[in-house]
Amino acid sequence: MSSRDLILGRVRRATADVRDDGTPYETAVDRSYLREHGDRTEAGTVELLAENLADYRAVVHRCAADALPATLAGLLAARGSDTVVVPEGLDESWLAESGVTRIADRKTATAHELDAVDTVVTACAVAVAETGTIVLDASPDQGRRRITLVPDHHICVVRVPSQVVSSVPQALERLDPARPLTWISGPSATSDIELDRVEGVHGPRTLEVVLVDDVP
Amino acid sequence: MSGTFVGMPAFPVAAHEAVHDSTLRGNLRHATRTIRAKRAKAVAEVSDWAALREAGKQIKDHTLRHLDRYLVQLEESVTAAGGIVHWAADAAEANRIVTELVKMTGETEVVKVKSMATQEIGLNEALETAGIHAYETDLAELIVQLGKDRPSHILVPAIHRNRGEIRDIFVREMGEWGRPAPEGLTDTPAELAEAARLHLREKFLRAKVGVSGANFMVAETGTLVVVESEGNGRMCLTLPETLISVVGIEKIVPRWQDLEVFLQTLPRSSTAERMNPYTSMWTGTRDGTAGEGDGPETFHLVLLDNGRTDTLADEVGRQALRCIRCSACLNVCPVYERAGGHAYGSVYPGPIGAILSPQLRGTGSEIDASLPYASSLCGACYEVCPVAIDIPEVLVHLRERIAEGGPATRDGNRVVLKPARGHAAERAAMRAARWAFSHPGALRGGQRLASRTRRFHPRTLPGPGRAWSGTRDLPEVPAESFRDWWQRTSGGKDVTK
């Protein structure tokens, strides 16, 4: 008998007293919890996102759609970045005003090569206001997962309000489980030493989020 | 992890030393009180916490009821997405499977994301015996590994170490395992974290095999979820060519939508944040989807039983399998705060450990037979549990089983347990009490005798009762029993008599 059969057999015997309760999944769970918390306007939700991102130590910037290239150029210059890894599908115009060396996100790039890069710039899939979270789904304008992991500085562009939702339930509705997803809420941190929270272990130690108004 | 918990003494003995270790107690007191307050604040922000908690409980209960169906569905969806599923009935089998899988890659090193399941089965030791080095990358697990120690908490396994001790461990041991600690390393948490970052980075960048656990597995889609703070999870899940995940069978949730409950309750209960820094979700491998070259080419999922089906068979005890490993119960427990995690003799300490370890491992050993008694039954754990596990209920249920024996399931077989040793006096006392309570004349006579002889009562009980009275004051016996007083004074009306 395979272990698979052994384990499944044990499960069936163990649950013999309760398995035939006839309650289908749809009615088994009381979903009276909230779809979102609070009652806000779209602008209020974007405000909440900015607050919560800042609370967990992301650096937050806001700008109008046509000011994005200049804003990004300013951030890169302030950081002193020379090399920037860029997802294949990132909007070309975004880095048009930045005088940096662009490194394409390639299948064959090694982790060591990424380690030498100064900054990574990406878009995002969705941002969650209640928790201050941005979610990446490896789409062409966000790139492979490792490019936002190895470099020390990540600039993420969020289009507001179209990419902003209030809550976790709403975010899950927008995301595709078949894609690899990375939920980011601030730079990396640990509380392992005396439960004292310290930022910056592995993963980018500086996370900058640019909230750019949707193109009207 | 280089120590094991085999052969640990009963909890009171194990705790005795810990209770007198003032450094440990200081560390624990500070840490648990801080996180307790933060957790309360994080939970208070969420007005529907009670509804979320109830939904979490119901999702888990429904899943456990139909666990075979969801396991089969999960296997199908993971396989369809390019993953390979293995089934491990016990720890030995899981270790064999993982060792073989690593050997097949030809590698002799693996990097590990923190996984309680791999601690439970002693994976690192098993790999070491086969000549494979497993490097822990979670900061606390790194501290435990370098210090040749054992974990003492589910979420922050090195909570029993203060910063000075951690600095000493890094300075002494890092050089043996890889890049040494920097010169002049101080004990500020920021510098310690930086030392860990540098030490581990070279391992991440060259590792070919990663080993992880998972917080959740979604049956409908085959998606696995890892919730973390440091980024070592992301490193181990995306950089290596081969990923092996060892996950307990109870970690399944039916549908994608179900994550919306746990992603709200887990971060707030564990690290007391609105959301933890990094959560990774992946399904199988990236074969055939856009942007290949992203993450492991080969993904193995090892489903682990190791006593979970035995736990599932117990009508009262099975609720322990709802656990999402947040550790809120540990942080609120007065016993854990004073005894620390090592006294529980298991990778799962604290209140959840007291009900899970004796069910996963059986109640045969000294330590497991004593764990359900490592509690004052205050119930604080139940109040904070995000999936509403009634821990006191299970503790009392397990105490019954230990004191009186009875039916249980071990390794998939129904057995009848004999009453445990060391409870004979308790059973005799209970029998005597039952007799006395059903014979009012004898009870009245006994009470009168006790009143008349009260000046001669000892402060401690003799023989087996000595341990019981050693930590309790015996009640003072009054001059007359309540019933006698009531009769004498006609219901308290005639107090001059």
Side-chain angles (χ1 to χ4, degrees):
Chain A
M1 182 193 288
S2 66
S3 289
R4 180 184 186 277
D5 293 332
L6 181 66
I7 292 171
L8 288 173
R10 285 176 180 174
V11 170
R12 288 174 185 132
R13 281 196 306 279
T15 54
D17 60 326
V18 280
R19 44 196 288 113
D20 292 321
D21 68 346
T23 323
Y25 170 82
E26 287 73 17
T27 47
V29 181
D30 175 3
R31 308 239 179 218
S32 55
Y33 51 88
L34 299 171
R35 301 308 302 161
E36 65 176 274
H37 299 92
D39 187 18
R40 289 176 298 271
T41 59
E42 258 184 2
T45 301
V46 175
E47 233 355 272
L48 183 63
L49 173 67
E51 268 173 43
N52 283 342
L53 281 169
D55 196 25
Y56 284 171
R57 313 285 197 279
V59 182
V60 183
H61 312 276
R62 301 190 68 158
C63 71
D66 51 12
L68 182 60
T71 306
L72 289 176
L75 294 181
L76 290 167
R79 176 84 178 182
S81 298
D82 287 318
T83 51
V84 177
V85 65
V86 177
E88 289 164 36
L90 194 75
D91 189 320
E92 289 271 323
S93 66
W94 287 8
L95 292 176
E97 295 180 32
S98 308
V100 292
T101 310
R102 297 183 207 195
I103 315 269
D105 168 26
R106 290 177 348 264
K107 179 177 172 183
T108 50
T110 66
H112 281 102
E113 285 167 17
L114 283 173
D115 197 28
V117 170
D118 295 318
T119 300
V120 55
V121 177
T122 69
C124 82
V126 69
V128 187
E130 285 176 19
T131 57
T133 304
I134 52 180
V135 186
L136 306 181
D137 69 1
S139 287
D141 61 354
Q142 297 158 52
R144 294 178 176 78
R145 287 174 282 174
R146 58 177 181 261
I147 69 170
T148 51
L149 172 61
V150 180
D152 213 7
H153 177 225
H154 176 196
I155 302 177
C156 184
V157 178
V158 181
R159 285 187 286 276
V160 304
S162 63
Q163 287 195 307
V164 183
V165 298
S166 280
S167 70
V168 172
Q170 291 166 345
L172 285 165
E173 283 164 13
R174 285 211 194 175
L175 292 165
D176 178 3
R179 306 192 68 85
L181 301 173
T182 310
W183 298 55
I184 301 172
S185 310
S188 84
T190 178
S191 304
D192 277 337
I193 300 171
E194 297 180 356
L195 279 176
D196 192 351
R197 193 172 198 272
V198 164
E199 260 105 50
V201 197
H202 320 289
R205 287 181 288 186
T206 308
L207 171 65
E208 301 198 68
V209 181
V210 179
L211 304 177
V212 62
D213 296 327
D214 287 305
V215 176
Chain B
M1 184 177 102
S2 50
T4 68
F5 288 110
V6 172
M8 286 281 292
F11 181 85
V13 174
H16 186 79
E17 262 191 57
V19 159
H20 290 281
D21 180 343
S22 52
T23 312
L24 173 68
R25 285 188 64 163
N27 294 349
L28 285 174
R29 189 190 156 92
H30 168 75
T32 57
R33 282 177 193 214
T34 312
I35 198 78
R36 230 180 272 171
K38 281 173 73 176
R39 180 211 159 262
K41 185 156 164 272
V43 164
E45 254 188 32
V46 176
S47 56
D48 57 341
W49 183 258
L52 282 167
R53 191 174 177 245
E54 188 59 25
K57 168 179 179 242
Q58 291 173 359
I59 292 169
K60 284 283 179 177
D61 279 348
H62 168 81
T63 308
L64 291 170
R65 285 215 172 110
H66 305 285
L67 190 60
D68 56 324
R69 195 172 84 211
Y70 288 118
L71 280 167
V72 170
Q73 187 186 20
L74 176 76
E75 183 186 44
E76 273 163 23
S77 41
V78 170
T79 310
I84 303 164
V85 179
H86 311 260
W87 300 69
D90 57 24
E93 187 174 6
N95 287 334
R96 261 197 321 273
I97 293 171
V98 177
T99 306
E100 272 315 301
L101 292 174
V102 178
K103 282 204 173 135
M104 265 163 47
T105 66
E107 294 294 316
T108 54
E109 305 189 324
V110 306
V111 284
K112 281 188 67 198
V113 185
K114 169 157 167 290
S115 157
M116 300 307 307
T118 62
Q119 295 281 28
E120 180 192 325
I121 63 177
L123 178 65
N124 294 5
E125 287 74 20
L127 288 174
E128 200 60 48
T129 316
I132 298 165
H133 300 295
Y135 295 113
E136 293 288 353
T137 64
D138 180 88
L139 177 57
E141 293 293 2
L142 174 69
I143 294 167
V144 167
Q145 184 172 56
L146 292 180
K148 300 184 179 47
D149 197 353
R150 287 176 301 219
S152 71
H153 189 286
I154 288 171
L155 191 71
V156 281
I159 195 176
H160 56 290
R161 297 282 195 196
N162 64 29
R163 58 184 71 183
E165 292 170 316
I166 295 168
R167 190 259 323 269
D168 293 340
I169 290 170
F170 281 5
V171 166
R172 239 183 15 242
E173 305 287 339
M174 267 185 174
E176 310 282 318
W177 293 74
R179 180 178 171 144
E183 283 287 316
L185 177 66
T186 70
D187 67 359
T188 56
E191 268 194 49
L192 294 171
E194 175 67 14
R197 179 187 166 98
L198 293 169
H199 175 80
L200 289 170
R201 200 161 179 85
E202 54 175 32
K203 300 208 163 73
F204 289 137
L205 299 186
R206 70 165 193 254
K208 298 277 194 301
V209 182
V211 173
S212 83
N215 294 87
F216 307 102
M217 306 187 282
V218 181
E220 172 189 43
T221 60
T223 307
L224 269 68
V225 182
V226 167
V227 170
E228 57 146 344
S229 297
E230 294 163 39
N232 60 307
R234 292 179 65 190
M235 290 284 185
C236 296
L237 297 171
T238 53
L239 295 182
E241 293 166 4
T242 303
L243 173 62
I244 304 168
S245 299
V246 179
V247 191
I249 54 177
E250 83 284 21
K251 296 297 192 74
I252 289 188
V253 296
R255 303 220 184 144
W256 177 245
Q257 184 193 10
D258 296 319
L259 293 176
E260 70 192 13
V261 173
F262 300 109
L263 289 179
Q264 296 192 71
T265 54
L266 178 56
R268 290 178 194 265
S269 302
S270 59
T271 47
E273 303 171 299
R274 293 183 196 103
M275 187 62 78
N276 51 293
Y278 299 129
T279 298
S280 299
M281 302 182 181
W282 77 97
T283 305
T285 57
R286 288 277 275 157
D287 261 357
T289 49
E292 8 104 296
D294 180 6
E297 289 157 17
T298 312
F299 168 56
H300 295 277
L301 171 61
V302 181
L303 294 171
L304 179 69
D305 179 355
N306 203 34
R308 286 153 177 74
T309 49
D310 292 342
T311 310
L312 185 61
D314 186 316
E315 282 173 40
V316 177
R318 58 171 60 125
Q319 58 186 300
L321 294 174
R322 286 187 215 141
C323 179
I324 59 176
R325 308 285 192 267
C326 72
S327 78
C329 58
L330 272 71
N331 296 332
V332 86
C333 177
V335 174
Y336 177 86
E337 185 183 327
R338 287 158 181 80
H342 290 158
Y344 291 78
S346 163
V347 300
Y348 304 112
I352 186 61
I355 63 173
L356 199 52
S357 310
Q359 294 196 80
L360 292 179
R361 307 193 295 207
T363 50
S365 69
E366 260 190 64
I367 180 68
D368 288 312
S370 70
L371 284 177
Y373 293 91
S375 166
S376 61
L377 299 178
C378 75
C381 51
Y382 180 19
E383 276 179 38
V384 298
C385 177
V387 284
I389 301 172
D390 189 346
I391 298 179
E393 181 186 20
V394 183
L395 287 166
V396 171
H397 171 73
L398 290 173
R399 290 183 189 190
E400 269 179 50
R401 175 185 299 171
I402 289 163
E404 295 175 10
T409 311
R410 288 307 316 151
D411 297 321
N413 302 312
R414 296 296 284 172
V415 299
V416 178
L417 298 175
K418 289 204 291 288
R421 280 176 32 208
H423 292 268
E426 178 188 341
R427 281 193 298 278
M430 287 300 155
R431 275 197 301 270
R434 189 165 62 226
W435 184 88
F437 290 143
S438 36
H439 293 83
L443 180 63
R444 195 169 47 237
Q447 286 176 322
R448 286 185 183 148
L449 180 61
S451 291
R452 282 199 201 104
T453 58
R454 68 189 182 281
R455 267 182 268 285
F456 305 108
H457 292 174
R459 300 276 303 257
T460 59
L461 296 175
R466 197 170 51 208
W468 194 89
S469 57
T471 52
R472 292 171 177 81
D473 291 331
L474 289 180
E476 271 184 32
V477 179
E480 65 183 326
S481 77
F482 177 81
R483 285 170 198 237
D484 285 349
W485 172 85
W486 183 270
Q487 239 165 4
R488 179 171 61 78
T489 61
S490 312
K493 293 195 197 80
D494 196 355
V495 286
T496 55
K497 274 206 190 152

